[in-house]
Each structure stands twice: as structure tokens, then as C-alpha cells.
Amino acid sequence: MAGEKCVFEQAFSFSPLPTKSFSFQQDKDTLTLLMKWSMLGRLSAQTYSFDSNFHPYSCETFALHFFKDPEVIPSLRNMKARVWVPLDNPVVSVSVELVPCTKISMELFDPIYSCGILRPSGHVVKCIHDIYPDYDELRQMLQEVDFEHYYAVGKMEREEFLFCLFKHLCLGGELCQYEDTIDPYISTTKKIYKDLISVQKDAETKKISVLSTVLKVSAYDESGLCFPGTREEDQTFAYLIVDPVKRNVTLFYHIYGVGNFTL
């Protein structure tokens, strides 16, 4: 938790960039899938500029200043009765988790194609479950640590932002209509990841690497959790994705519930 301000603490100020948009927010095929997965209208990405050098060691200060900034506060929203509403009270502290983000290709998902949870056609293997009447082995691999294929994608790879994004899309919202094949999940993950993450090429080696720093964040007011949402839920999430060179940060978040039924 970050709350108290240190005398020598670095200060950050933020400004919204309303003209900055992402291709996945305009792509009809992507929006149609988000609607099918009950995430349309509940998944948001908005970008801000900031005025000081960012370093990962200052991530808690950065996040706290973000959520307390007068230029940011009016754009923060929660969802109540399927309507976006402003936060009730000022943020007093934050929880910040540094999320590994190093992947520049989709190779991380290769083991999923060979471990047995997919048919050769790419169709997801269905299974019987005690709780869920319509269940499959892809969701088992994502959620159930005792499942034999849980670590088909290794432990460290599962912590990567690329995998976290894939998992969020696969599990969807409250009325998610799950896919029969894996391709829509993979292609949408790739599109959104490419939109959100900045990369750089080394001038000498020509090697491409990820420039962005990804922070998973929660904000708290005097009463407790206030963003994203007001109660803990795996599919309610918020990430700050920082481009330290451009000095831009994107707030990418989702409030679990029933998504929009029309584009």
C-alpha cells in the first residue's frame, strides 16, 4: 500500500489525451467479440501524459499520484446498474503489482496447441464440471491449479501481461458466450496487446524489446476498495501501462458484469 508522502518523494502530474485512441476500440470484429464475451462497454482504455521521468522503483508513488491527480479524477469511473458513475470519495492509498511484460511474439501460447486441451482443428475440448454445465479444458487450464495441464504454459510465462490479457478475454464478463475454438481469443489478445504495448529496436543488434512497464493497480478510499469496482473479482481489473520515453500512461481496465448487447 502507498499512502503517506515522503519529503523527498518524486512528484508526477498528468493530463488526459482525449484524441489518443486504439485500433481495437474501433475494429468492428473486435467489438463484436467483446460484445459476445459480455465485456463491451465495460472494457476501457484511456491515455494520459505525465511530466516527470518514470522508473519502476517509483511505481507506487506514480500510481498514487495518478489516482489523486485533479486532471485524472474526473475520468475515473465505476459501473453501477450498468451506468458509468464517478468515484464516491477521494483515493487515499493504492496497491501496485509490477507485472512482467517482455513478450514480443505469441510463442508463449505454443504449448496450449500441443498439450491436449485442443483438437487438431483448434476446437477446445469440452469437459464435465461439478459447477459449470458448459465447461471446457481451456478454462480449466486457466483457472484450476490442480488440472493436469495448468502449467502447460510455465509458471513464469503465466505471470506475463500477455498471458494475463489472454486469460481475461477467455473468461469474459457475466454473460460470456465462450468460443468453441481458440483462434478468436488468440487474435484478439494479439491485437489489444500490440495496441497497448510500446517496443523499441536496438540500433546495433536490431533486437526488438518491450519498452512498456505494466502495473496492476487497485485504489482505496477511506471505506476500502474504490477502483476498479468496489469488491474483489478476478475479472474486475485495472492496469497502468507506462511508456517512459513518450511519458504516456494508459489506464486499461474492466468492471465485471453484463456487457452491452449492441455495438
Side-chain angles (χ1 to χ4, degrees):
M1 287 272 200
E4 296 296 325
K5 185 171 182 178
C6 172
V7 175
F8 302 106
E9 188 175 87
Q10 183 178 3
F12 294 93
S13 296
F14 300 85
S15 298
L17 299 176
T19 60
K20 169 69 174 176
S21 61
F22 299 96
S23 63
F24 78 85
Q25 295 173 311
Q26 278 88 43
D27 181 70
K28 186 175 180 181
D29 291 340
T30 301
L31 296 177
T32 300
L33 286 171
L34 292 176
M35 179 174 65
K36 183 179 180 182
W37 302 336
S38 198
M39 300 178 84
L40 186 66
R42 290 179 167 272
L43 186 71
S44 174
Q46 46 201 27
T47 303
Y48 308 77
S49 63
F50 56 91
D51 64 348
S52 297
N53 290 331
F54 171 84
H55 302 284
Y57 62 74
S58 64
C59 61
E60 287 197 353
T61 299
F62 181 87
L64 181 64
H65 287 191
F66 177 84
F67 284 106
K68 294 172 75 73
D69 192 284
E71 293 293 318
V72 173
I73 291 170
S75 63
L76 297 176
R77 295 285 187 270
N78 272 324
M79 185 76 75
K80 293 183 180 178
R82 300 187 66 195
V83 176
W84 288 107
V85 296
L87 304 192
D88 292 330
N89 297 299
V91 170
V92 297
S93 63
V94 294
S95 173
V96 181
E97 175 189 346
L98 189 61
V99 180
C101 186
T102 64
K103 303 302 180 183
I104 58 169
S105 76
M106 304 297 283
E107 292 178 359
L108 177 151
F109 299 107
D110 287 353
I112 293 178
Y113 289 86
S114 57
C115 71
I117 66 173
L118 301 178
R119 306 290 185 196
S121 61
H123 283 74
V124 181
V125 175
K126 302 292 185 180
C127 61
I128 298 173
H129 196 274
D130 294 337
I131 300 174
Y132 306 105
D134 177 26
Y135 206 54
D136 58 60
E137 293 193 0
L138 176 59
R139 278 179 281 163
Q140 270 192 300
M141 187 274 287
L142 293 173
Q143 295 179 287
E144 299 181 13
V145 69
D146 293 332
F147 181 52
E148 61 179 314
H149 299 305
Y150 183 81
Y151 285 118
V153 175
K155 185 175 182 180
M156 291 182 64
E157 282 72 22
R158 289 180 69 98
E159 295 174 356
E160 284 276 340
F161 177 63
L162 178 60
F163 186 87
C164 295
L165 177 58
F166 172 75
K167 180 177 178 179
H168 288 315
L169 295 176
C170 289
L171 298 182
E174 189 171 348
L175 296 181
C176 181
Q177 300 175 59
Y178 300 102
E179 298 294 329
D180 291 326
T181 65
I182 196 171
D183 288 350
Y185 298 129
I186 293 291
S187 61
T188 308
T189 298
K190 182 178 181 178
K191 177 178 284 291
I192 296 177
Y193 186 79
K194 188 176 180 180
D195 264 358
L196 295 176
I197 299 302
S198 301
V199 298
Q200 61 184 354
K201 179 185 285 188
D202 187 282
E204 294 183 2
T205 66
K206 308 301 181 184
K207 183 180 179 181
I208 297 174
S209 61
V210 173
L211 186 63
S212 301
T213 296
V214 179
L215 310 173
K216 189 172 186 180
V217 293
S218 299
Y220 301 81
D221 60 21
E222 293 289 358
S223 301
L225 179 66
C226 67
F227 185 89
T230 55
R231 60 186 181 88
E232 298 286 347
E233 161 61 53
D234 288 344
Q235 284 296 92
T236 294
F237 55 82
Y239 297 92
L240 289 175
I241 302 166
V242 185
D243 183 327
V245 174
K246 292 183 179 179
R247 287 186 178 177
N248 286 352
V249 56
T250 297
L251 175 63
F252 176 67
Y253 69 102
H254 175 255
I255 309 292
Y256 179 79
V258 178
N260 294 346
F261 296 111
T262 57
L263 294 179

